[in-house]
Amino acid sequence: MVMRVTNQAQQANALRNLFRITEDQFLTNQRIASGKRILAPSDDPLGLRDVLSLRASISRSEQFNRNITFNRVFVNSADAALGSVNTSLVRAQELAVNSLNGLNTTATRQAAAEELDKIIDTVFEAANTKVQGRFLFSGTGVTTAPFQQNAGALGALYSGDGNSLNLAVADGLTVPITKPGSEVFAVDLNPAVTTATNLSDLNGGAGVTLGSLSITDREGNNAVVNLGAATTVNDVITAINGAGINVTASINSAGNGLLLTDTSTTITQALTITESGGGTVAQELGILGSRNGNLTGQDLNPVITTATTIASLNGGSGLTLGSVEVTNGSLSGTVDLSGATTINDVITTLNGAGLNLTASINSLGNGLDVVSSNANTTAVIADTAGGNTASILGIGGNNVFLALDTLKQALERDDTEGIAASLDLLNASRDKVSEVRAEFAAVAQTLDQMDTLSKADVVTQTDQLSDIEDADFVEEAANLAALEIALQATLATTARVLQPTLLSFLS
């Protein structure tokens, strides 16, 4: 059976061949020009998946490199600051030892106290070191100077928090690049927020301005919660839980603020808390704002009171107390604080120990002050052998500012017993500074290692990416030459098959 092929079919077939070849030429030229063999998802779907995964991984590694490069200065600056503090403590020890030899007089000890005053200024400068506009030792409150003078008492007042700034250096790995000053230079007893905490004790003792707030859950239900009569955190929680919407309040997992949990089943918007009536109660409770889920409130920073329990200190982890050694002029003794359950117990036990000293809550409400009741002597409190009670309570032990201030006061009062006792505090403080410097050294080593690994990952993954998506120039050039030959052959063949008039028109 003979079939006749029409001129129109021949023309269409010829055009298809020409279009296919010229399209292949165009794509080959694109691959040569761009250097990439995958120009569209359809070119290699599986290859494109690998390309996107590798690019994301390379981007993460490069971000880790940038994190390390830009933030290494925090670790280096912290080490330099602590090195300066260590030098200052060494000089303070020298002054203390020299002041105890038989050749020293009241006048020479006064001169030593004056030098020590300058040393304390140097330590304050180091403790308040600022890098890239952030204070190194203030925790996450990086815009607040962490330390200030404790007027009328010994040591320094700490205004930061107990957290560190953490830096992501690899997938699933973060390292602390700062250290809260409360772990190096002074102590913040950091009581947890409990249901019994008075609102007047929040925000560093500034309290909360009572009023009303508005809560809208994720279903869009709204309620105005009146907190005008609230006095404790429990009153706030009870009022919110009784508002009749899909929101329940509790204390957050960190024990330092509120948690608002939205149980809406139909989601139409974000959980939103706003002020009602022009007040500031939501802001001061740390829950102002919107979240696409639950809202974890900010740190409410409660102060300690005489009723604060020992178990609620240290962010709710509590403290395990034992005994402390007290020297106050010719008086000395061991005070057992193991039975204390509240701050009042600690204060009462110290004041009633018969060692002529006065214990009280400091002016910021985050620590204790212990001073001699005798204007001629200095009360020195140290840890007992193997204990740490004085250190963790911030009344002695490894408290840098307290150690320096204690020595200064003992020198000014010509109190040789106090000078001798202060040496233990200085030694403990030096040990603490050395310990923290070692931690920063470990962090610096980790940064170096992860920086090297991240850079190596970028090189390795870039090679893998090139193998998958980059074009082979030699192969593509050969393909282009073959396509040129195919095009010329197709044109020649078409010229013989189709009418000359048509070929002339096409060319």
Side-chain angles (χ1 to χ4, degrees):
M1 179 177 175
V2 179
M3 295 185 63
R4 181 175 179 275
V5 180
T6 65
N7 287 339
Q8 186 176 11
Q10 291 177 333
Q11 292 169 8
N13 187 57
L15 288 174
R16 277 195 300 271
N17 288 334
L18 289 171
F19 288 153
R20 177 179 55 78
I21 294 172
T22 53
E23 182 182 15
D24 288 345
Q25 280 184 312
F26 173 75
L27 293 174
T28 302
N29 277 317
Q30 271 196 319
R31 286 192 289 270
I32 292 174
S34 66
K36 305 297 181 185
R37 75 173 187 85
I38 302 177
L39 302 173
S42 57
D43 292 340
D44 185 352
L46 294 179
L48 182 62
R49 180 198 63 188
D50 294 337
V51 164
L52 294 176
S53 176
L54 283 168
R55 283 179 179 168
S57 182
I58 290 171
S59 178
R60 287 197 304 273
S61 295
E62 290 175 337
Q63 182 60 58
F64 293 140
N65 285 143
R66 288 192 293 271
N67 288 351
I68 293 169
T69 299
F70 295 149
N71 293 285
R72 195 191 301 270
V73 63
F74 287 94
V75 177
N76 294 340
S77 298
D79 180 68
L82 292 172
S84 171
V85 172
N86 185 67
T87 301
S88 296
L89 288 171
V90 169
R91 180 53 184 162
Q93 287 176 308
E94 292 173 353
L95 291 174
V97 172
N98 290 338
S99 295
L100 291 173
N101 68 46
L103 299 177
N104 274 269
T105 63
T106 299
T108 59
R109 292 188 182 107
Q110 289 298 323
E114 292 175 5
E115 181 180 347
L116 191 60
D117 193 46
K118 294 181 175 59
I119 289 174
I120 292 171
D121 288 341
T122 300
V123 175
F124 262 106
E125 184 177 349
N128 285 330
T129 296
K130 201 173 186 180
V131 176
Q132 295 180 357
R134 305 177 192 176
F135 288 99
L136 280 181
F137 298 107
S138 62
T140 54
V142 293
T143 59
T144 302
F147 294 100
Q148 57 185 285
Q149 295 282 352
N150 189 8
L154 302 180
L157 296 173
Y158 179 63
S159 301
D161 59 38
N163 304 312
S164 299
L165 289 179
N166 294 317
L167 179 70
V169 295
D171 286 327
L173 176 62
T174 61
V175 294
I177 58 171
T178 66
K179 194 83 169 175
S182 57
E183 295 184 18
V184 188
F185 302 99
V187 170
D188 180 358
L189 293 179
N190 189 28
V193 175
T194 68
T195 54
T197 301
N198 290 319
L199 299 182
S200 58
D201 294 334
L202 301 179
N203 299 314
V208 174
T209 304
L210 300 179
S212 298
L213 55 84
S214 174
I215 304 178
T216 304
D217 65 25
R218 291 188 295 166
E219 281 189 9
N221 303 307
N222 175 263
V224 174
V225 181
N226 185 356
L227 299 175
T231 59
T232 66
V233 170
N234 186 64
D235 293 337
V236 173
I237 292 174
T238 301
I240 293 174
N241 291 346
I245 58 175
N246 300 313
V247 176
T248 56
S250 59
I251 294 173
N252 65 29
S253 59
N256 63 5
L258 296 174
L259 171 66
L260 299 189
T261 303
D262 193 310
T263 58
S264 299
T265 55
T266 303
I267 311 302
T268 62
Q269 63 168 66
L271 168 62
T272 304
I273 294 86
T274 60
E275 306 288 3
S276 179
T280 57
V281 63
Q283 177 183 351
E284 293 173 16
L285 286 173
I287 55 175
L288 181 67
S290 298
R291 296 289 187 281
N292 290 317
N294 299 330
L295 189 151
T296 301
Q298 299 172 359
D299 187 349
L300 293 178
N301 187 29
V303 296
I304 59 173
T305 67
T306 54
T308 301
T309 63
I310 304 302
S312 71
L313 301 179
N314 192 26
S317 298
L319 300 176
T320 301
L321 303 183
S323 298
V324 296
E325 297 286 351
V326 180
T327 300
N328 189 14
S330 61
L331 300 175
S332 64
T334 301
V335 181
D336 183 8
L337 298 174
S338 60
T341 59
T342 67
I343 290 294
N344 186 64
D345 293 339
V346 173
I347 292 174
T348 301
T349 303
L350 288 170
N351 290 342
L355 296 169
N356 201 22
L357 52 77
T358 302
S360 60
I361 296 171
N362 70 21
S363 59
L364 281 186
N366 64 357
L368 297 175
D369 287 332
V370 181
V371 296
S372 173
S373 301
N374 184 342
N376 297 315
T377 62
T378 298
V380 183
I381 302 178
D383 290 317
T384 56
N388 66 348
T389 298
S391 295
I392 60 178
L393 281 176
I395 57 177
N398 55 24
N399 185 320
V400 171
F401 283 116
L402 182 58
L404 292 170
D405 271 359
T406 297
L407 174 59
K408 177 188 171 186
Q409 186 182 86
L411 289 168
E412 290 173 337
R413 295 181 176 183
D414 203 21
D415 177 8
T416 55
E417 289 88 354
I419 294 171
S422 69
L423 282 169
D424 287 339
L425 302 188
L426 293 170
N427 285 329
S429 296
R430 279 194 65 194
D431 289 344
K432 183 62 178 180
V433 169
S434 296
E435 176 187 325
V436 175
R437 287 192 75 186
E439 292 175 8
F440 276 115
V443 170
Q445 185 176 37
T446 300
L447 292 180
D448 290 340
Q449 292 173 343
M450 298 314 302
D451 188 39
T452 300
L453 288 174
S454 293
K455 288 176 179 176
D457 282 345
V458 169
V459 172
T460 300
Q461 293 178 106
T462 300
D463 288 343
Q464 293 174 342
L465 183 63
S466 177
D467 290 341
I468 296 173
E469 73 168 351
D470 286 359
D472 185 327
F473 284 102
V474 174
E475 180 182 356
E476 295 299 337
N479 289 340
L480 186 63
L483 287 170
E484 181 63 29
I485 293 172
L487 178 63
Q488 295 303 323
T490 301
L491 288 172
T493 301
T494 303
R496 291 186 178 92
V497 173
L498 299 182
Q499 294 297 325
T501 53
L502 176 60
L503 276 175
S504 298
F505 184 79
L506 290 174
S507 62

